Amino acid sequence: MIKSPALLSLITVLIVFASCATSKDQHRRITRQLQQGKIKEDTSYVYDLPYKDGKHIIVQGYFSLFSHKNRAALDFKMKKGTPIYAARGGVVVRLKEDSNRGGWSKKNRPHGNYIVIQHSDGSRAGYWHLQYNSVLPNAGDTLRQGQLIAKSGKTGYAMFPHLHFLVWRSNGGNWQPIGTRFSTSKGTGYLKPLHFYQTPVQQ
């Protein structure tokens, strides 16, 4: 039983906003169908979870109504200082780690620390709200999948500590966030909001 009214309120808010928005947008509709298993595919790249230890819950999923309304992005709730690993290998094209400011105000949006990694197929992954001065690689560095890259935090526009993760793909110069498959202890698939996920046990 949840005894804390504040915690109960937070969970209620997250449940309301975690479900995907209804929309005529084709990309949203397809992403939702992939999550639900109504569309099955086995050709897209399989990403690692961006962490290695423990289970973490998705508090916002793709196109959630709260702050992901127009984004195929994922929010993993985790404590400050949780090690973050590259979900896929690539080259660091942008990063920021000089901010220690964050909180529940849109004025904090520019202050989020991040790292952006470009993959071999031209897509890019972004890792946001990173801890101050915790990014390990430099711009231009080539990273391998599973390499330690930073620590999670609460910088930028963030109600609580979490990792904001998204992947973009360029369509004629127009960058569009896309849903991605992940390898988890439950198997390979598209992650769903309000579910816990853990990395597969290493053999």
Side-chain angles (χ1 to χ4, degrees), residues 9-198:
S9 296
L10 174 60
I11 291 173
T12 302
V13 168
L14 293 175
I15 290 173
V16 169
F17 290 121
S19 59
C20 288
T22 56
S23 170
K24 295 181 180 179
D25 182 277
Q26 184 179 12
H27 184 52
R28 294 188 194 196
R29 190 166 59 248
I30 290 174
T31 302
R32 182 68 180 274
Q33 290 173 338
L34 286 166
Q35 285 179 308
Q36 295 174 337
K38 293 180 179 179
I39 298 176
K40 296 185 183 296
E41 57 88 14
D42 58 5
T43 60
S44 65
Y45 189 89
V46 178
Y47 287 72
D48 284 349
L49 290 170
Y51 51 86
K52 293 189 176 180
D53 297 326
K55 294 181 179 180
H56 296 279
I57 190 171
I58 301 288
V59 291
Q60 270 203 104
Y62 297 131
F63 302 109
S64 292
L65 289 171
F66 195 31
S67 60
H68 293 181
K69 187 174 181 180
N70 297 309
R71 293 184 180 183
L74 299 168
D75 282 350
F76 297 90
K77 188 177 185 301
M78 54 181 63
K79 295 180 180 179
K80 290 182 182 179
T82 300
I84 302 300
Y85 299 85
R88 180 177 179 179
V91 177
V92 178
V93 292
R94 285 191 291 134
L95 63 86
K96 174 180 170 61
E97 63 169 343
D98 61 355
S99 173
N100 58 10
R101 179 176 170 181
W104 192 233
S105 169
K106 291 184 178 180
K107 293 181 179 179
N108 290 318
R109 194 183 295 277
H111 302 288
N113 295 324
Y114 63 84
I115 182 170
V116 176
I117 300 171
Q118 181 155 321
H119 311 131
S120 58
D121 63 357
S123 64
R124 294 180 176 184
Y127 307 70
W128 254 265
H129 307 305
L130 303 176
Q131 193 172 71
Y132 168 72
N133 202 28
S134 73
V135 176
L136 297 177
N138 298 308
D141 285 356
T142 298
L143 308 177
R144 68 182 184 279
Q145 188 166 6
Q147 184 172 336
L148 180 64
I149 57 173
K151 294 181 180 179
S152 66
K154 189 194 167 185
T155 57
Y157 182 34
M159 182 192 302
F160 48 81
H162 68 281
L163 175 70
H164 178 84
F165 177 88
L166 72 161
V167 174
W168 307 272
R169 183 172 56 203
S170 177
N171 182 12
N174 181 28
W175 288 91
Q176 180 183 46
I178 60 172
T180 52
R181 294 191 299 155
F182 287 85
S183 175
T184 78
S185 60
K186 301 176 181 179
T188 298
Y190 290 82
L191 307 189
K192 301 176 182 178
L194 299 185
H195 284 67
F196 284 90
Y197 292 98
Q198 185 174 11

